[in-house]
């Protein structure tokens, strides 16, 4: 369907006319909160007792999960999202979905008698927040888009920091407030606003006439908790509710509105994500702390060895010193290279330095974007030796560090993890014992910028924002992207309504109202280009 015809223009008009109505709907689901916590962190249960109410004895009773405050909040959040999808008039099929207890037990405890499983382990395994799914009737003559969003959010952080930047009035993190052209609330940008953006585009097109696409909306309920059960849940709906869409091969792309623009006003499509290889290393030479005056200089100090080990692993800026960590990096496509060259400027470097609170802007490299998006890096995320709050003059019995290696697109995180583990073990002398634990590897993601579908989304965002879009990378990892693309065998298109001032996961989370509108328009143009 030509993008300049009357139907497209009418859909754009609908989106603009209904903008305030959509912001009101966003305000309603923001109020539902939907705070999610990592299921395997005991600190979540300890620090947020209001979310998970255990009995006075602290028992982890799996049969009580549905009675906890957190489950009720996320169940209500999923149900309200489903109600919003039904009321849009776009989806004849809407439901709340989750794995059953049996399905989780088959994954976590195959062949085991649940009566013999530790109650705490069983409780944490069965913690599973509900998602919502909606889809149109299947039309074999239309392309299908699979929209992914999530309705769960991070805790609000420090309430005292939720202060209107203009009026200086205190804000309720779960009340959507407009100030200075921005909308403030927890979940506004990450990711309830992204969900509303996609739904608004679909409804605007529906009001303008027949939808040009088959649409599937999957709204995850536990993204902020790690989406542990996303893969089996996608398998479940793909084999049941979405069977016709999957078997026909009509799904053209997965649209994920959960990233953001490089800067306000610059339409940005995220085409790469770095992966991660992480591990904890602990070295020890003695069985207990020893007086530094009596024994210092006569025994091997684990802390000194660990410090030297870390120094040999990377330069001061985190650049790996070992050439093996650079193997497998893929070259950039032409559009990504052009985008990088346009964004990696001195002005943006100083802005980057200011945004991280650098005491001197030279803290940030001239190649700050290339290093963050497209190269590997080493970060020491934690070191444990002693407690500075209560220092002891002693040679410590052990020293530990958490090492995180961000893996560039095209690299194999398992290979890098194995290499670093072997490199560490080979360097440890016989006077020290080494223990490697808590290993983890998450794959990087790279979209094919030459794929025609990316050229269409590039053109759509350029048209809506009235300036050329850019392909950008993200230095962080979003593990579910690789999960969902592998499952559906389709490319993922990542964009978002956030920008450099959005503060996702921090206080004063927000998005720009104008950019929200332009992202809706971008999705409309893109759908008609398909």
């Amino acid at each position: 369907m030509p993008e300049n015809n009357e139907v497209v223009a009418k859909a754009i008009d609908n989106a603009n006319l209904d903008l305030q109505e959509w912001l009101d709907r966003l305000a309603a689901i923001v109020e539902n909160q939907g705070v999610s916590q990592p299921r395997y962190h005991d600190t979540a249960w300890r620090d947020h007792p209001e979310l998970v109410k255990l009995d006075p004895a602290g028992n982890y009773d799996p049969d009580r999960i549905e009675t906890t405050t957190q489950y009720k909040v996320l169940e209500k959040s999923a149900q309200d999202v489903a109600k919003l999808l039904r009321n849009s008039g776009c989806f004849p099929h809407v439901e709340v979905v989750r794995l059953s207890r049996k399905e989780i037990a088959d994954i976590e405890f195959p062949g085991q008698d649940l009566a013999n499983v530790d109650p705490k382990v069983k409780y944490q395994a069965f913690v599973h927040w509900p998602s919502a799914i909606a889809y149109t009737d299947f039309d074999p003559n239309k392309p299908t888009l699979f929209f992914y969003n999530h309705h769960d959010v991070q805790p609000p952080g420090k309430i005292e920091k939720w202060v209107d930047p203009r009026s200086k009035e205190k804000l309720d993190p779960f009340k959507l407030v407009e100030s200075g052209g921005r909308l403030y609330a927890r979940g506004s940008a990450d990711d309830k606003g992204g969900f509303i953006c996609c739904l608004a585009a679909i409804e605007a097109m529906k009001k303008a006439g027949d939808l040009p696409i088959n649409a599937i909306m999957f709204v995850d309920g536990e993204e902020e908790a790690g989406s542990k059960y996303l893969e089996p849940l996608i398998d479940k709906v793909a084999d049941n509710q979405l069977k016709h869409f999957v078997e026909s091969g009509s799904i053209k792309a997965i649209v994920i509105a959960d990233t953001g623009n490089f800067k306000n006003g610059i339409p940005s499509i995220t085409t790469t994500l770095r992966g991660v290889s992480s591990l904890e290393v602990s070295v020890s030479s003695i069985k207990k702390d020893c007086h530094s005056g009596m024994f210092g200089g006569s025994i091997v100090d684990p802390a000194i060895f660990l410090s030297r080990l870390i120094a040999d692993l990377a330069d001061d800026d985190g650049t790996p010193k070992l050439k093996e960590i650079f193997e497998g990096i893929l070259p950039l496509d032409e559009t990504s290279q052009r985008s990088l060259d346009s964004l990696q400027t001195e002005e943006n470097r100083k802005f980057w330095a200011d945004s991280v609170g650098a005491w001197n802007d030279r803290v940030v490299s001239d190649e700050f974007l290339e290093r963050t998006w497209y190269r590997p890096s080493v970060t020491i995320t934690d070191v444990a030796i002693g407690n500075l709050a209560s220092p002891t003059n002693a040679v410590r019995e052990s020293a530990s560090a958490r090492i995180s290696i961000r893996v560039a697109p095209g690299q194999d995180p398992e290979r890098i993890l194995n290499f670093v583990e072997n490199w560490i073990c080979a360097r440890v002398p016989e006077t020290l014992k080494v223990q490697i634990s808590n290993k983890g590897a998450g794959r990087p993601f790279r979209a094919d910028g030459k794929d025609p579908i990316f050229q269409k989304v590039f053109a759509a965002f350029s048209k809506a924002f009235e300036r050329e879009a850019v392909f950008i990378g993200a230095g962080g990892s979003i593990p579910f992207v690789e999960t969902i693309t592998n499952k559906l065998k389709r490319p993922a298109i990542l964009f978002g309504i956030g920008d450099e001032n959005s503060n996702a996961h921090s206080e004063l989370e927000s998005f720009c109202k104008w950019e929200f509108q332009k992202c809706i328009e971008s999705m409309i143009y893109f759908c008609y280009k398909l």
Side-chain angles (χ1 to χ4, degrees):
M1 187 179 292
E3 65 174 284
N4 62 347
N5 68 13
E6 294 181 2
V7 176
V8 180
K10 187 176 180 181
I12 297 294
D13 288 342
N14 290 339
N16 294 333
L17 289 172
D18 294 340
L19 184 62
Q20 188 56 52
E21 179 182 346
W22 282 108
L23 292 176
D24 291 343
R25 297 187 199 183
L26 173 59
I29 60 172
V30 161
E31 290 184 14
N32 294 338
Q33 301 186 17
V35 174
S36 179
Q37 286 290 322
R39 60 170 54 77
Y40 285 113
H41 293 182
D42 282 340
T43 54
W45 319 124
R46 184 193 68 205
D47 297 342
H48 297 277
E50 75 282 7
L51 297 178
V52 182
K53 293 183 177 178
L54 303 176
D55 61 40
N59 294 324
Y60 291 84
D61 182 359
D63 292 332
R64 297 184 65 253
I65 292 174
E66 286 78 5
T67 70
T68 62
T69 302
Q70 188 174 18
Y71 187 93
K72 290 178 180 178
V73 166
L74 284 157
E75 174 70 27
K76 185 178 186 303
S77 179
Q79 294 291 351
D80 286 346
V81 165
K83 181 179 179 181
L84 186 60
L85 289 163
R86 290 189 193 98
N87 292 343
S88 71
C90 301
F91 300 99
H93 312 283
V94 181
E95 59 185 292
V96 171
V97 293
R98 58 174 66 76
L99 295 180
S100 68
R101 289 279 183 89
K102 183 181 184 306
E103 288 167 330
I104 293 176
D106 289 343
I107 295 169
E108 299 289 348
F109 315 111
Q112 297 185 49
D113 184 350
L114 292 183
N116 297 327
V117 177
D118 180 271
K120 182 176 178 179
V121 173
K122 190 162 48 176
Y123 182 99
Q124 293 176 333
F126 286 150
V127 172
H128 171 46
W129 313 134
S131 302
I133 188 171
Y135 50 100
T136 58
D137 288 327
F138 175 65
D139 185 339
N141 297 315
K142 293 179 180 179
T144 300
L145 287 180
F146 185 107
F147 294 87
Y148 171 95
N149 299 98
H150 63 90
H151 66 85
D152 64 326
V153 302
Q154 285 283 317
K158 297 178 180 178
I159 301 298
E160 65 272 17
K161 290 191 175 184
W162 285 86
V163 178
D164 189 315
R166 294 168 67 87
S167 70
K168 305 305 179 185
E169 295 180 357
K170 293 183 179 179
L171 300 178
D172 182 338
F174 296 106
K175 298 286 186 182
L176 190 69
V177 172
E178 182 175 352
S179 178
R182 299 190 71 84
L183 282 299
Y184 292 88
R186 170 59 82 232
S188 56
D190 182 22
D191 177 42
K192 292 180 177 179
F195 160 61
I196 292 293
C197 169
C198 295
L199 183 55
I202 293 169
E203 184 171 320
M205 291 185 289
K206 178 73 171 177
K207 287 183 177 180
D210 189 31
L211 267 177
I213 60 168
N214 297 315
I216 300 167
M217 295 203 77
F218 183 90
V219 191
D220 193 356
E222 49 187 17
E223 192 272 348
E224 300 293 4
S227 293
K228 179 180 180 182
Y229 294 125
L230 178 63
E231 184 172 349
L233 187 55
I234 291 293
D235 279 341
K236 182 177 179 178
V237 297
D239 291 340
N240 294 279
Q241 293 94 330
L242 307 181
K243 187 174 183 179
H244 291 310
F245 299 97
V246 174
E247 291 183 348
S248 69
S250 72
I251 299 176
K252 300 302 179 186
I254 303 152
V255 178
I256 302 174
D258 196 23
T259 54
N261 291 331
F262 176 74
K263 288 178 73 173
N264 187 275
I266 301 179
S268 309
I269 298 101
T270 301
T271 56
T272 64
L273 300 167
R274 288 198 295 185
V276 64
S277 301
S278 59
L279 55 84
E280 290 180 12
V281 55
S282 179
V283 292
S284 61
S285 61
I286 48 183
K287 294 181 179 180
K288 61 181 180 180
D289 292 352
C290 292
H291 192 289
S292 61
M294 298 176 64
F295 297 98
S298 65
I299 59 178
V300 176
D301 189 332
I304 292 176
F305 173 81
L306 182 65
S307 299
R308 186 177 296 114
L309 184 78
I310 291 172
D312 288 344
L313 189 59
D315 291 332
D316 293 345
D317 60 5
T319 300
K321 290 183 176 180
L322 311 175
K323 62 181 179 58
E324 289 84 354
I325 297 180
F326 284 91
E327 293 177 0
I329 299 175
L330 297 174
L332 297 183
D333 61 72
E334 182 179 343
T335 305
S336 296
Q337 185 64 58
R338 186 172 71 248
S339 297
L340 176 65
D341 293 341
S342 71
L343 297 175
Q344 195 164 255
T345 63
E346 180 64 9
E347 177 186 355
N348 284 337
R349 188 191 67 79
K350 290 183 176 180
F351 166 79
W352 196 274
D354 183 62
S355 69
V356 299
W359 69 272
N360 183 313
D361 69 68
R362 294 314 310 173
V363 168
V364 176
S365 164
D366 290 333
E367 300 173 314
F368 64 105
L369 292 182
E370 185 173 358
R371 286 171 176 253
T372 305
W373 294 346
Y374 306 124
R375 294 187 192 174
S377 65
V378 176
T379 303
I380 308 303
T381 58
D382 201 6
V383 175
I385 298 173
N387 185 356
L388 290 178
S390 55
T392 301
N393 283 325
V395 178
R396 297 294 184 175
E397 64 174 287
S398 64
S400 304
R402 179 74 176 169
I403 301 172
S404 175
I405 302 172
R406 291 294 172 171
V407 177
Q411 294 190 294
D412 181 350
E414 292 284 356
R415 180 194 66 79
I416 291 177
L417 181 63
N418 291 334
F419 167 76
V420 172
E421 180 179 5
N422 292 334
W423 178 83
I424 291 173
C425 291
R427 290 176 57 84
V428 178
E430 62 181 10
T431 52
L432 288 168
K433 288 184 177 181
V434 62
Q435 180 179 358
I436 306 293
S437 61
N438 292 331
K439 296 186 290 183
R443 299 197 65 81
F445 164 78
R446 181 183 181 181
D448 182 3
K450 296 179 181 179
D451 188 315
I453 203 162
F454 281 93
Q455 299 307 311
K456 291 177 181 179
V457 76
F458 187 92
F461 274 81
S462 298
K463 182 176 179 63
F465 280 79
E466 298 182 351
R467 60 149 293 163
E468 186 174 78
V470 292
F471 283 167
I472 64 172
S477 305
I478 309 179
F480 74 80
V481 174
E482 187 75 8
T483 296
I484 202 167
T485 53
N486 283 342
K487 281 295 164 188
L488 297 178
K489 307 299 182 186
R490 292 296 181 268
I493 297 168
L494 282 76
F495 79 101
I497 62 173
D499 58 21
E500 76 277 18
N501 297 312
S502 283
N503 292 332
H505 290 207
S506 186
E507 295 85 8
L508 287 180
E509 180 181 342
S510 67
F511 65 83
C512 170
K513 183 177 180 179
W514 177 83
E515 285 195 318
F516 176 76
Q517 180 179 357
K518 291 302 172 183
C519 283
I520 296 173
E521 293 180 14
S522 298
M523 277 293 99
I524 292 172
Y525 285 131
F526 173 57
C527 289
Y528 281 110
K529 284 179 179 293
L530 286 178

